[in-house]
Every structure is written in C-alpha cells, then in structure tokens.
Amino acid sequence: AFSGEISCELEDIRCTGCMYINDKSIKNVFTKFSTSLKVAHFGGLRNISDRAIEFAPRYLENLNVSGCFNVTDKSLIHIRNNCEAMKRLELGGCSGFSNKALAEYLQYASAKGIEVVLPAENISGLDMGLQLDPEATKSLKHKVAKWLFVVLAVGLATIKTDLMSVGQWIRLALFTGVLCILYIGVFIIALLLFH
C-alpha cells in the first residue's frame, strides 16, 4: 500500500461554461496550485465572483474571466496588485467593471506589456487618461489633436480583441468613420477660424 503524498503541479486549467463551478472551487484551485498555475480559463463561469479572483496566484500569467458577470473592479485591483507575472487578461462580456477601473487597468497593462482582451462595447466611453502638456491643450488645434490621439489609442486597443463578432466590427468601422468625418470638419472649422 502507498503511504506517501501524491504531488501534482497543475500549470493550465480550462473550465469554460461549467455552471456548477463556484467561488469555492476556483479558490481551492488557486490555493492548491499557487506556485505552478500559469493559465486559468474560466470563461462563462457565471457563479464565480471577486471572492474567487482574490485568490489568483502571483505567478499566474494568463487569466480569462470572459462572461463572468460577478467579477468587478475589486478583481482588477487584486490582479494589478498581486499577479506579478500576468501577461494576458481576457475580460470580454464582463459588465461589473467601472469605466474608471478599466481605464486605470489598461494604462497599467500598457506600461507593463500586459495584453488585455476586451470587446469594443467595453472600450467605448473610456477616458484613457492620455494627457498632453497643459499649455498645449489651450488651443483648439491641440484639443483636436488630443481627441484624435485618444480615438486612435482606443482603435488600436480594440485590434487586440479576438472576441468581437462581425456586427461589432461593423459598428466599430462605422464609429471610426464618423469620428474621422467629425475630425475633418473640426479641422476645417479651426482653419477657417484661425486664418
């Protein structure tokens, strides 16, 4: 008979759409494999919340919580402060995040080289916090340039998403086209006013 302890080093777990997995299950996985777990895909697990994500291990590199509706700003803060090895975070279909928390995490992720996957509807309306020199923003010309820079930054951020449907891409293309037309109109008005 075997009298020792069996050891297992789990590196990758993928549980998507399993309706019986809850916070306690995820907490147990995170706790038991805190030093070995690198990839955790929990897409569509509607029964998990911040109570599970707060146990995400520091060495976790890839986390997918797409469609986990009960995951909120608290989880983003935990991931930012504790998951030092994070390389990719998928948040598609998560409605529990505030625009402020998402914008702050996107800035942090950009600085750290973390890929964040979001569908377009999560990005619209975000204040990316991009700032130019305060003196430069006084003129209309620089305000337009700042606005265009934010639009381009948001557009580039959406290119990383692999969760967008064809309809979402069409809406993004239409939105970008309208913004370009508005930019051209504002630029022409600025030229007329300042000539």
Side-chain angles (χ1 to χ4, degrees):
F2 180 76
S3 62
E5 185 178 309
I6 297 176
S7 176
C8 177
E9 297 297 319
L10 182 69
E11 290 185 10
D12 188 328
I13 186 167
R14 295 170 191 265
C15 305
T16 55
C18 301
M19 63 168 123
Y20 299 108
I21 294 178
N22 58 24
D23 287 336
K24 186 177 180 182
S25 306
I26 301 302
K27 175 187 169 188
N28 288 340
V29 168
F30 280 157
T31 305
K32 178 142 178 82
F33 303 106
S34 64
T35 59
S36 64
L37 191 64
K38 305 285 185 240
V39 178
H41 283 245
F42 301 134
L45 299 185
R46 296 174 185 231
N47 293 326
I48 68 166
S49 69
D50 298 328
R51 289 187 301 277
I53 304 304
E54 70 185 17
F55 290 93
R58 109 178 313 124
Y59 303 109
L60 191 64
E61 296 176 3
N62 184 327
L63 176 62
N64 180 344
V65 291
S66 297
C68 299
F69 304 118
N70 298 315
V71 176
T72 69
D73 295 355
K74 188 175 179 181
S75 290
L76 281 179
I77 293 167
H78 172 80
I79 292 165
R80 177 181 178 164
N81 294 337
N82 297 291
C83 299
E84 298 170 357
M86 188 62 62
K87 294 179 182 174
R88 179 179 170 96
L89 179 61
E90 297 182 45
L91 304 170
C94 296
S95 56
F97 302 120
S98 69
N99 282 349
K100 181 182 178 199
L102 272 176
E104 288 173 359
Y105 190 82
L106 287 172
Q107 283 183 331
Y108 167 79
S110 177
K112 295 289 188 180
I114 300 168
E115 181 180 5
V116 179
V117 180
L118 286 170
E121 64 264 14
N122 288 88
I123 295 174
S124 63
L126 284 183
D127 174 8
M128 299 298 285
L130 302 171
Q131 297 178 1
L132 299 173
D133 179 76
E135 289 298 315
T137 58
K138 290 181 181 176
S139 76
L140 179 60
K141 197 184 245 184
H142 285 92
K143 286 182 182 178
V144 170
K146 179 181 176 185
W147 175 75
L148 181 62
F149 185 69
V150 169
V151 169
L152 290 175
V154 170
L156 289 174
T158 61
I159 290 172
K160 287 185 175 181
T161 124
D162 55 359
L163 301 174
M164 289 176 58
S165 68
V166 173
Q168 290 169 325
W169 278 109
I170 291 170
R171 283 195 305 270
L172 177 63
L174 290 172
F175 175 74
T176 305
V178 168
L179 289 177
C180 287
I181 291 169
L182 287 173
Y183 171 73
I184 291 168
V186 170
F187 185 74
I188 290 171
I189 291 170
L191 284 177
L192 293 173
L193 290 174
F194 295 107
H195 259 293

